[in-house]
Amino acid sequence: MSVSKVGSNLERRFVTTRLGRIHVAMAGTGFPILLLHQTPRSWDEYCDVLPLLGRDFRAIAMDTLGFGDSDRPAADPSIELWAEGAFALLDALEEPRAAIVGHHTGAVIAVEMAASAPARVSALVLSACPFVDAARRARHDGMRVIDEVEARPDGSHLTELWARRQPFYPADDIDLLQSFMIDALRAGEMAAEGHRVVNRYRMEDRLGSIQCPTLVIAPTADPHVHPVAPRVAGAIEGSTLCELSGGMVPLPDQMPEAFAGLVRDFVAAEMAKGGNGT
């Protein structure tokens, strides 16, 4: 196991699991909250969220298999495989039960985790979760996805990728787009394939199986997911829908304090009700 420290509150390490090495960053101690990133980002999406959640919990941000510094398994990528990888990480960390937080693709993975192993998920936070049903699968079948660009010797594809993402990011925050570009280049072909994986998932078969307390966060300035947030929440019995004004596609690293606050308050409240977090 290789370990490095970032600052005084953040620890990074490689964890050997049954599906390969998974890279994580962690902060704090206590009940675990597992954070799952969007495509094609990495744990870095939660860089500013981790120390905030780490004040009260063991906050763990992982690189999904095939992204960041985590291994890419031989099997074809799928939401089910990525959920299995997240459980494999929790097993290796000896955490039988956790709160699961996911953003965009991470939210879809979180749905599968909660549906497939309800005894292991104490609380669920779905941030900017797409609603994937038969209509969406048909609509996106064969369609070019947002991060799909053809590499060119002159590097112009990098400008194209930046331009395709820019409308969904704050106009005055270049740092957020630079962080995206770094992760997208590292992901390679998975930068586009990750979106296709989401669009193939049969989410409508899984949402009704979720039994744990669930918070659905709807960033108001994210046109991909804000309109469907009520459908996601409506399909999960007893869920709570919360709009976050001004939130965009990079919500966790755009508004880390607001994001962490919603997660912290929701998970803490569910634990205080008795039994959900233990």
Side-chain angles (χ1 to χ4, degrees):
M1 181 179 294
S2 175
V3 178
S4 65
K5 296 272 187 173
V6 179
S8 57
N9 299 318
L10 199 62
E11 177 186 341
R12 296 174 61 184
R13 67 170 70 171
F14 288 94
V15 180
T16 299
T17 77
R18 61 182 179 273
L19 292 179
R21 289 197 321 164
I22 292 178
H23 175 257
V24 299
M26 299 186 291
T29 59
F31 189 76
I33 296 180
L34 180 64
L35 302 159
L36 306 171
H37 61 81
Q38 68 172 301
T39 298
R41 292 301 314 276
S42 69
W43 77 272
D44 181 66
E45 181 164 65
Y46 295 107
C47 184
D48 294 326
V49 171
L50 281 169
L52 298 174
L53 290 179
R55 296 170 183 170
D56 302 289
F57 302 97
R58 185 187 190 190
I60 307 163
M62 66 176 286
D63 289 346
T64 300
L65 289 167
F67 293 87
D69 289 319
S70 289
D71 288 348
R72 181 176 300 187
D76 291 338
S78 68
I79 295 299
E80 292 82 359
L81 177 65
W82 291 342
E84 185 181 351
F87 280 129
L89 171 67
L90 292 175
D91 289 343
L93 294 176
E94 300 182 338
E95 296 288 5
R97 190 166 167 85
I100 309 297
V101 178
H103 181 63
H104 271 279
T105 301
V108 183
I109 299 169
V111 165
E112 178 60 26
M113 294 180 72
S116 64
R120 300 199 62 180
V121 180
S122 64
L124 186 67
V125 178
L126 305 178
S127 171
C129 185
F131 185 82
V132 187
D133 59 0
R136 173 171 170 140
R137 287 192 295 274
R139 187 169 63 251
H140 286 270
D141 185 31
M143 181 184 296
R144 182 186 183 190
V145 296
I146 186 170
D147 297 325
E148 184 178 359
V149 295
E150 182 180 353
R152 306 182 189 98
D154 65 358
S156 59
H157 60 290
L158 303 180
T159 303
E160 180 185 359
L161 180 59
W162 181 286
R164 287 175 67 82
R165 277 280 178 161
Q166 193 167 35
F168 309 110
Y169 279 65
D172 59 348
D173 197 332
I174 294 176
D175 289 344
L176 289 180
L177 264 173
Q178 289 184 151
S179 295
F180 159 78
M181 292 292 292
I182 291 168
D183 280 340
L185 290 174
R186 180 180 298 176
E189 64 184 20
M190 288 304 299
E193 184 61 21
H195 299 293
R196 300 189 191 101
V197 168
V198 169
N199 292 331
R200 292 194 292 264
Y201 182 59
R202 296 186 61 86
M203 179 183 286
E204 73 271 35
D205 296 339
R206 305 302 272 162
L207 289 171
S209 299
I210 295 174
Q211 302 174 17
C212 63
T214 302
L215 173 66
V216 178
I217 299 176
T220 61
D222 186 335
H224 302 295
V225 295
H226 182 256
V228 300
R231 297 184 68 187
V232 174
I236 303 172
E237 185 176 357
S239 70
T240 300
L241 176 62
C242 176
E243 291 196 336
L244 192 50
S245 181
M248 302 180 75
V249 168
L251 177 62
D253 47 359
Q254 175 203 3
M255 304 172 66
E257 293 86 1
F259 183 89
L262 287 175
V263 172
R264 179 186 61 247
D265 292 349
F266 178 73
V267 175
E270 293 304 327
M271 292 179 66
K273 289 178 182 178
N276 285 322
T278 60

